[in-house]
């Protein structure tokens, strides 16, 4: 039986790298992975992680989710060489702290272009083939910030909320009409270079031009959030293992929280239609 062809975006580090390496190293050789990244100058760590699978079950390609021609080029190659595309993992994205009105609209638009519109572009690119073959899996790497808005991550949360709304809307149509299954993955804190870079940046420097009220809320809220992150932190390999389980599942769920604490966070929001509970909890974090 031919291996499943898998396209993964955002594989230079973190969850994308871990997922690509794990699938490529599958002992049963069930996957042929096209691991992509925006800039091939960043491929060294993925090459090291791939080991003996490099250029065998793991192929590295350049793909920028904000540029349609690069997406089309990789999808066309997969179809030309394999005749089908079985799995898309929409992983490319980045996060950044912002304090409501402190970042430029251009900064916000750039994040949305990658974290949301990049997902739409990649999904649209694979759908014609998946519809024709009447099968496929699309994994959307979201965040618990796509379930409940995270203070000072307004644009990042907005992008993930948009991804979740898009995914929830297309999921029943693709399942019932074409046997294509969409699953949303909602991690909490994951130990990656991206997360470390964002959280290690100087809060004082970031907040130096904030008004006094905003600065006080920002410093208290972010410090409290980061202090509790270590106990919740997961490894990228844990998320990669979940991705493999979803791909291999005969009847995957629409949503997956990646740890018990994230399940509880989702439950807390969903149990109260007013979501006042969320505001009350956030108010406590500033005390």
């Amino acid at each position: 039986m031919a291996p499943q062809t898998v396209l993964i975006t955002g594989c230079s580090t973190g969850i994308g790298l871990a997922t690509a390496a794990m699938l490529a190293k599958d002992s049963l050789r069930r996957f042929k992975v096209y691991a992509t990244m925006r800039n091939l100058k960043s491929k060294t760590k993925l090459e090291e992680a791939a080991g003996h699978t490099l250029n065998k079950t793991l192929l590295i390609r350049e793909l920028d989710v904000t540029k349609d021609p690069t997406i089309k080029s990789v999808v066309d190659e997969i179809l030309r060489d394999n005749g089908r595309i079985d799995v898309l993992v929409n992983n490319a994205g980045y996060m950044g702290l912002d304090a409501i009105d402190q970042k430029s609209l251009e900064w916000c638009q750039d994040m949305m272009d990658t974290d949301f519109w990049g997902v739409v572009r990649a999904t649209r690119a694979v759908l014609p083939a998946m519809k024709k073959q009447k099968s496929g899996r699309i994994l959307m790497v979201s965040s618990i910030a796509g379930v409940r808005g995270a203070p000072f991550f307004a644009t990042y949360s907005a992008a993930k909320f948009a991804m979740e709304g898009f995914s929830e809307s297309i999921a029943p149509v693709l399942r019932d009409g074409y046997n294509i299954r969409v699953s949303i993955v909602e991690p909490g804190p994951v130990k990656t270079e991206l997360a470390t870079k964002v959280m290690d940046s100087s809060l004082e420097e970031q907040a130096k031009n904030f008004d006094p009220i905003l600065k006080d809320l920002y410093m208290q809220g972010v410090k409290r959030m980061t202090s509790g992150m270590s106990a919740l932190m997961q490894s990228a390999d844990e998320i990669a293992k979940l991705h493999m389980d979803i791909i291999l599942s005969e009847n995957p769920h629409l949503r997956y929280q990646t740890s018990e604490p994230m399940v509880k966070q989702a439950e807390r929001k969903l149990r109260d239609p007013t979501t006042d509970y969320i505001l009350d909890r956030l108010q406590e974090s500033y005390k």
Side-chain angles (χ1 to χ4, degrees), residues 208-271:
K208 65 181 181 180
N209 296 320
F210 292 3
D211 66 70
I213 294 174
L214 182 60
K215 182 174 182 178
D216 185 52
L217 290 171
Y218 186 83
M219 297 297 292
Q220 290 184 60
V222 176
K223 283 181 179 178
R224 185 179 179 89
M225 178 176 61
T226 55
S227 68
M229 281 179 61
S230 59
L232 301 173
M233 195 76 71
Q234 292 183 274
S235 70
D237 283 342
E238 289 180 78
I239 313 303
K241 177 60 168 61
L242 176 59
H243 287 167
M244 180 183 283
D245 291 343
I246 295 170
I247 292 168
L248 294 174
S249 172
E250 291 185 8
N251 188 27
H253 299 303
L254 173 59
R255 277 187 170 83
Y256 291 83
Q257 294 81 41
T258 63
S259 67
E260 191 57 33
M262 296 309 106
V263 171
K264 290 180 179 178
Q265 286 201 30
E267 286 177 341
R268 287 168 186 159
K269 177 168 183 176
L270 296 174
R271 76 183 183 185

Side-chain angles (χ1 to χ4, degrees), residues 2-281:
Q4 295 189 57
T5 57
V6 183
L7 169 59
I8 309 175
T9 64
C11 294
S12 59
T13 60
I15 293 171
L17 184 154
T19 302
M22 186 173 292
L23 294 179
K25 291 179 178 179
D26 175 51
S27 60
L28 299 178
R29 298 177 68 87
R30 290 172 289 187
F31 309 103
K32 181 180 180 181
V33 180
Y34 288 78
T36 70
M37 61 190 67
R38 182 177 57 181
N39 188 340
L40 288 181
K41 292 179 180 179
S42 303
K43 68 180 180 178
T44 303
K45 290 182 179 178
L46 178 57
E47 288 179 329
E48 293 173 354
H52 69 278
T53 70
L54 186 63
N55 297 322
K56 296 174 183 174
T57 55
L58 190 148
L59 307 172
I60 301 176
R61 297 291 184 265
E62 186 170 277
L63 186 157
D64 184 339
V65 296
T66 69
K67 295 179 170 60
D68 284 308
T70 71
I71 303 171
K72 183 178 186 301
S73 175
V74 176
V75 170
D76 286 351
E77 178 188 349
I78 295 172
L79 294 175
R80 182 177 65 248
D81 294 349
N82 304 278
R84 60 186 296 113
I85 181 165
D86 298 294
V87 181
L88 168 66
V89 182
N90 274 313
N91 172 74
Y94 65 98
M95 66 177 177
L97 287 158
D98 65 278
I100 306 172
D101 56 355
Q102 300 302 304
K103 294 289 189 181
S104 69
L105 280 179
E106 290 75 18
W107 185 93
C108 300
Q109 288 167 341
D110 285 346
M111 182 174 286
M112 288 293 293
D113 198 28
T114 296
D115 288 14
F116 172 60
W117 288 112
V119 168
V120 175
R121 291 186 189 97
T123 301
R124 287 186 172 193
V126 304
L127 278 180
M130 287 187 175
K131 285 180 175 180
K132 184 178 179 179
Q133 68 201 28
K134 290 290 180 72
S135 67
R137 298 291 172 87
I138 302 175
L139 276 61
M140 308 290 198
V141 183
S142 181
S143 166
I144 198 65
V147 179
R148 48 167 295 183
F152 309 114
F153 285 93
T155 305
Y156 179 71
S157 290
K160 294 303 185 182
F161 268 66
M163 173 199 279
E164 298 229 352
F166 173 72
S167 303
E168 192 170 300
S169 178
I170 67 175
V173 179
L174 293 180
R175 180 196 63 189
D176 298 343
Y178 304 97
N179 190 35
I180 300 168
R181 303 301 294 266
V182 175
S183 293
I184 306 166
V185 181
E186 298 167 341
V190 179
K191 191 172 183 178
T192 64
E193 289 183 17
L194 174 63
T196 300
K197 181 179 180 180
V198 171
M199 302 317 297
D200 282 354
S201 55
S202 169
L203 297 182
E204 286 285 356
E205 178 63 24
Q206 291 184 54
K208 65 181 181 180
N209 296 320
F210 292 3
D211 66 70
I213 294 174
L214 182 60
K215 182 174 182 178
D216 185 52
L217 290 171
Y218 186 83
M219 297 297 292
Q220 290 184 60
V222 176
K223 283 181 179 178
R224 185 179 179 89
M225 178 176 61
T226 55
S227 68
M229 281 179 61
S230 59
L232 301 173
M233 195 76 71
Q234 292 183 274
S235 70
D237 283 342
E238 289 180 78
I239 313 303
K241 177 60 168 61
L242 176 59
H243 287 167
M244 180 183 283
D245 291 343
I246 295 170
I247 292 168
L248 294 174
S249 172
E250 291 185 8
N251 188 27
H253 299 303
L254 173 59
R255 277 187 170 83
Y256 291 83
Q257 294 81 41
T258 63
S259 67
E260 191 57 33
M262 296 309 106
V263 171
K264 290 180 179 178
Q265 286 201 30
E267 286 177 341
R268 287 168 186 159
K269 177 168 183 176
L270 296 174
R271 76 183 183 185
D272 176 10
T274 71
T275 62
D276 287 343
Y277 174 84
I278 300 296
L279 290 179
D280 293 341
R281 286 283 294 175

